[in-house]
Structure formats: C-alpha cells, structure tokens
C-alpha cells in the first residue's frame, strides 16, 4: 500500500505546474494583457470617438454614408410610390368627373332631365291658322343648326326621335301631342346666334310673316326647360355586353 501511495504522489508532483522562470513570465504577461484590454475597453467607452484611430473613423464614416445613401434611396422610392398613388387617385377623380359630365350631357340630349341655361323664347301667333307642322319642323332644324342644345315645343321635350304631324282636325302634333297657337318654343344655346338665325332672310321669322303669323323672339340669360321625354322600351335591340379583358 505504501508503494502505491508513493506512486500517486509522484504522478501529482509531475502534473503540478512548476514555479520556473518561464512560467512566471508567462503569468505576468497574461495579467498585463488582460489589464490592458480592460483598460482599453473602459477608455473607449469613456472617450467615445476620440479614442478611435483614423482608419477606424474612416470606416465608421463610410458605414454612416452607406446607411445614409440607403435611407435616401428608400425615401425616394416612398416618394415615388406616394406620387403614383396621388396621381392615380387624381386620374380616377378626373375620369369619374368626365364620366359624370358625359352622363349629364347625354341626359340633356335624351331629354330625361330638366335643363336650364341662356337661350331664346320664340312665340308664333297664327291668326289665320296657316302654320303647319312643317313650319315647326323647319324652326327646329334652324335651331339645331344654330347650336341649340335643348328644345321644348309647347309641353313636349324635343329629342332626336321627335316627329311632327297633323291630326284630323288640323291640330299640329309633336310626338303625338297636340299643340295649339300661339306656339311657344324654348331653346337653350347661344342667344345671339340663335336669334340671328331665326331673323335671317328666308328664315323662320320671314316664313311665318308670309303665312300671316306674328313671330316674337326674346333672348334670355336663363331659360328653363322642364318637359321630360320618356324613352320607349326597346322590343328588339339589346345592348352588347362589354367583353372583359383577359389578364
């Protein structure tokens, strides 16, 4: 047993570090290096950028510049996106506005909504009962040529499909509705142009006088046309559906 104990003690002494000059020097250097590292970290934390070398400062500045460039690019992209959204919204608004204006114009032409604006009022007296449906038709054509945008004859709103005729009792008819003298025509458009067109030689006023009638033309800044036209239901014609574009 004593021999075994002696062997173990020898092994422990062999594995234990020996206090040589080399070991002592290595220990001192390790301590100094650790102290220097701690001191440098503390100094860097306390002094901030002042403790950095020139190369480190250049590297830091370059990194900041790169980050700034990336932020500028991101900001520019966001501005472009914003402008596109704003432009798209404005375009949509303009498109909707144009569509509403187009719809309003078509409704006036179709006679489905009331209309108002500058224009003229034509009153035709017919003491001899010589004014026929053709005279009123000629008046309508002259008004249209002069730029009339909406016309009403008596209680009837005039549209593209309006027709003229004469009943068996001699009453002038507009769209099947009888109108009697004095005939009253309302027209919206440029008052001066339309009034001049009615008064030219060979025009409406001269023809009415030749038939013994009494034409009166009055220009106004506001003419109200309240008569409405009810479009008939189509029996045969059907709208063609708009094809949906494929992606």
């Amino acid at each position: 047993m004593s021999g075994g104990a002696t062997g173990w003690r020898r092994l422990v002494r062999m594995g234990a570090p020996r206090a040589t000059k080399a070991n002592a020097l290595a220990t001192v250097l390790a301590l100094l290096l650790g102290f220097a590292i701690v001191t440098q970290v503390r100094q860097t934390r306390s002094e901030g950028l002042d403790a950095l070398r020139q190369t480190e400062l250049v590297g830091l500045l370059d990194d900041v510049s790169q980050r700034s460039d990336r932020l500028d690019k991101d900001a520019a992209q966001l501005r472009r996106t914003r402008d596109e959204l704003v432009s798209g919204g404005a375009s949509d608004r303009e498109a909707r506005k144009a569509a509403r204006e187009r719809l309003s114009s078509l409704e006036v032409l179709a006679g489905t909504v009331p209309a108002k604006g500058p224009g003229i009022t034509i009153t035709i007296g017919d003491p001899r009962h010589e004014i026929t449906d053709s005279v009123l038709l000629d008046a309508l054509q002259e008004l249209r040529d002069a730029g009339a945008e909406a016309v009403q004859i008596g209680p009837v709103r005039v549209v593209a499909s309006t027709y003229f005729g004469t009943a068996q009792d001699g009453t002038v008819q507009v769209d099947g509705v009888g109108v009697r003298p004095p005939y009253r025509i309302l027209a919206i458009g440029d008052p001066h142009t339309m009034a001049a067109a009615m008064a030219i030689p060979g025009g409406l006023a001269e023809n009415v006088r030749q038939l013994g009638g009494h034409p009166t033309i009055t220009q106004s800044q506001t003419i109200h046309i309240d008569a409405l036209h009810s479009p008939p239901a189509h029996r045969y014609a059907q709208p063609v559906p708009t094809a949906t574009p494929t992606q």
Side-chain angles (χ1 to χ4, degrees):
M1 294 293 293
S2 60
T6 301
W8 281 108
R9 282 195 293 270
R10 290 178 180 176
L11 289 174
V12 170
R13 286 196 299 267
M14 293 175 63
R18 298 180 181 180
T20 63
K21 292 182 179 181
N23 290 339
L25 181 59
T27 301
V28 172
L29 291 176
L31 292 174
L32 291 175
L33 179 60
F35 179 78
I37 292 175
V38 173
T39 302
Q40 181 65 30
V41 170
R42 290 180 177 177
Q43 185 177 2
T44 302
R45 290 181 177 176
S46 62
E47 296 179 4
L49 297 178
D50 295 337
L52 296 179
R53 295 189 297 272
Q54 182 177 1
T55 55
E56 294 174 335
L57 290 173
V58 171
L60 181 60
L61 180 60
D62 183 67
D63 181 68
V64 172
S65 299
Q66 291 180 1
R67 291 186 180 182
S68 178
D69 292 339
R70 288 194 297 270
L71 290 175
D72 289 340
K73 291 180 180 179
D74 292 342
Q77 179 62 39
L78 290 174
R79 284 193 294 268
R80 286 193 295 268
T81 302
R82 179 204 62 189
D83 294 340
E84 289 174 359
L85 292 174
V86 172
S87 177
S91 298
D92 291 341
R93 288 192 296 271
E94 291 298 326
R96 288 193 293 269
K97 180 181 178 181
R100 288 193 295 268
E101 292 176 351
R102 179 60 176 167
L103 176 60
S104 298
S105 177
L106 292 175
E107 288 175 335
V108 170
L109 291 176
T112 57
V113 295
K116 68 177 181 178
I120 62 175
T121 300
I122 304 173
T123 304
I124 302 176
D126 184 22
R128 300 182 184 176
H129 300 285
E130 297 290 339
I131 304 300
T132 63
D133 57 330
S134 62
V135 175
L136 297 185
L137 177 59
D138 289 341
L140 176 60
Q141 296 295 346
E142 291 181 13
L143 286 171
R144 285 175 171 169
D145 291 341
E149 298 176 354
V151 177
Q152 177 177 332
I153 300 178
V156 180
R157 181 68 170 271
V158 177
V159 295
S161 61
T162 296
Y163 63 92
F164 296 80
T166 303
Q168 293 182 352
D169 61 357
T171 302
V172 175
Q173 292 188 332
V174 181
D175 274 349
V177 178
V179 293
R180 300 179 181 277
Y183 303 106
R184 187 167 179 263
I185 303 174
L186 303 176
I188 294 176
D190 182 79
H192 178 73
T193 300
M194 292 188 297
M198 299 300 102
I200 61 174
L204 174 67
E206 182 177 336
N207 292 338
V208 168
R209 292 191 188 95
Q210 290 178 352
L211 294 173
H214 306 289
T216 302
I217 302 171
T218 304
Q219 301 184 37
S220 303
Q221 290 301 314
T222 304
I223 295 290
H224 292 273
I225 293 182
D226 301 323
L228 301 181
H229 174 73
S230 299
H234 296 287
R235 295 178 56 190
Y236 306 104
Q238 299 294 330
V240 177
T242 302
T244 302
T246 58
Q247 298 295 332

